Amino acid sequence: MHVPDGFINAPVSVAAGAVAATAVAVSLRGARRELDERTAPLAGLVAAFIFAVQMLNFPVAAGTSGHLLGGALAAILVGPFTGVLCVSVVLLMQGILFADGGLTALGVNITNMAVVTTVVAYAVFRGLVKLLPRKRRSITVSAFVAAVISVPAAAVAFTLIYAVGGTTDVPIGQVFTAMVGVHVLIGIGEAAITALTVGAVIAVRPDLVYGARGLTAPLKLRVNGELVDTPAAEPVPVAARSHRKVWLAGLATSLVLAGFVSFYASANPDGLEKVASDKGIDAKVEDHAAADSPLADYGVEGLTNNRISGGLAGVIGVGVTVVAGTGVFWAVRRRRTPENQSGPSQVGESV
């Protein structure tokens, strides 16, 4: 759903940029409360993982593909405010280095793909985990449903923006039906990736999943025929539970996905590209300002072997994103003040 330059007129693009800038500013403040010794090192990795998985277009319908948006995944793993920043970092890297998503449309893309998906997904996720039993399966089920809903929500947001600032005269009802229809299918793929990833992390380190904190009911003991709460166990210091193995495993996975598996991704246009082509939304599309980038279109300029070119571009993208993201999140972490040092309670072992 990367909107290119020329789809949305200048005034609406500027307005969307203002909305996106405000959302990022609010998220920077909110992320100070979310980022701690566990999430700060992992937030940059989450951004890099989203970048890598976004290279893996999967077929969803005849001649159409889809890819992860990542808002739901980021929000659940590292928190909604940090999640907005994660996806924003990815979109910025993609726009500047890979000519993916217009630079004048960056505000539109951050609003759609970072803000809307993250806010909708986390709201749905939190609502579900309060209703479902406090178990690991409930968390993965909630993540699945939240991700499914977040993608068509972003499609609706794009349709509304296009209704106000679209540069072509296309019946908005047709745009709405086509966008929501294809992105419901893409949402299923998004949900599967999100649930599998959250489930994998929570299986080995539940304390690293932001959305799973504080969801464990206290253990009970039967004493003289009555159930009583067990005494609270001494928490294991955060510093004693190294996240290094998880970080290295996540980075290695991201590199393999971007550097190797991406070669086998679907070459069909994604949902927005397909709708734009079918409905004529792309009639006034403009050349990307970074079209001359040596990494444009996810290839390395000068390399004629497509497999090597695309794989190397993916590896570079993962590296740049993890460095940029980690730098941003460590800077935000260092600005935490004493009054926002406390965060959600840690998840218990029975989750």
Side-chain angles (χ1 to χ4, degrees), residues 271-286:
L272 176 58
E273 291 173 330
K274 179 64 172 175
V275 172
S277 176
D278 290 346
K279 304 301 179 182
I281 295 175
D282 59 356
K284 296 185 179 180
V285 66
E286 301 173 0

Side-chain angles (χ1 to χ4, degrees), residues 2 24 33 35 43 55 69 75 89 92 109 131 159 161 185 209 218 227 237 254 256 260 274 293 296 322 330 338:
H2 293 76
V24 168
R33 299 189 297 271
L35 293 169
M55 294 183 66
L69 298 185
V89 168
L92 186 61
N109 286 323
L131 297 175
T159 304
I161 293 173
L185 299 177
V209 179
L227 290 176
S254 300
V256 170
F260 178 74
K274 179 64 172 175
S293 167
V322 75
W330 271 116

Side-chain angles (χ1 to χ4, degrees), residues 72-107:
L73 178 62
I76 295 167
L77 287 180
V78 292
F81 293 108
T82 308
V84 170
L85 300 179
C86 282
V87 181
S88 297
V89 168
V90 172
L91 293 171
L92 186 61
M93 295 299 102
Q94 291 171 332
I96 293 176
L97 298 179
F98 298 91
D100 188 10
L103 295 184
T104 62
L106 183 60

Side-chain angles (χ1 to χ4, degrees), residues 236-261:
V236 179
V238 171
R241 293 179 289 176
S242 174
H243 55 264
R244 181 175 299 176
K245 291 182 179 179
V246 174
W247 195 93
L248 291 174
L251 180 61
T253 301
S254 300
L255 291 171
V256 170
L257 292 176
F260 178 74
V261 180

Side-chain angles (χ1 to χ4, degrees), residues 77-165:
L77 287 180
V78 292
F81 293 108
T82 308
V84 170
L85 300 179
C86 282
V87 181
S88 297
V89 168
V90 172
L91 293 171
L92 186 61
M93 295 299 102
Q94 291 171 332
I96 293 176
L97 298 179
F98 298 91
D100 188 10
L103 295 184
T104 62
L106 183 60
V108 174
N109 286 323
I110 289 177
T111 300
N112 282 340
M113 297 177 64
V115 179
V116 172
T117 58
T118 301
V119 171
V120 170
Y122 199 71
V124 172
F125 175 81
R126 293 302 303 177
L128 288 174
V129 295
K130 290 180 180 180
L131 297 175
L132 297 174
R134 296 184 176 186
K135 298 180 179 179
R136 290 182 183 178
R137 182 172 298 179
S138 298
I139 296 170
T140 55
V141 168
S142 299
F144 185 96
V145 176
V148 165
I149 295 174
S150 70
V151 177
V156 171
F158 167 79
T159 304
L160 294 175
I161 293 173
Y162 184 81
V164 178

Side-chain angles (χ1 to χ4, degrees), residues 337-351:
T337 55
E339 59 266 22
N340 58 31
Q341 287 291 325
S342 60
S345 60
Q346 298 179 11
V347 67
E349 292 299 323
S350 63
V351 168

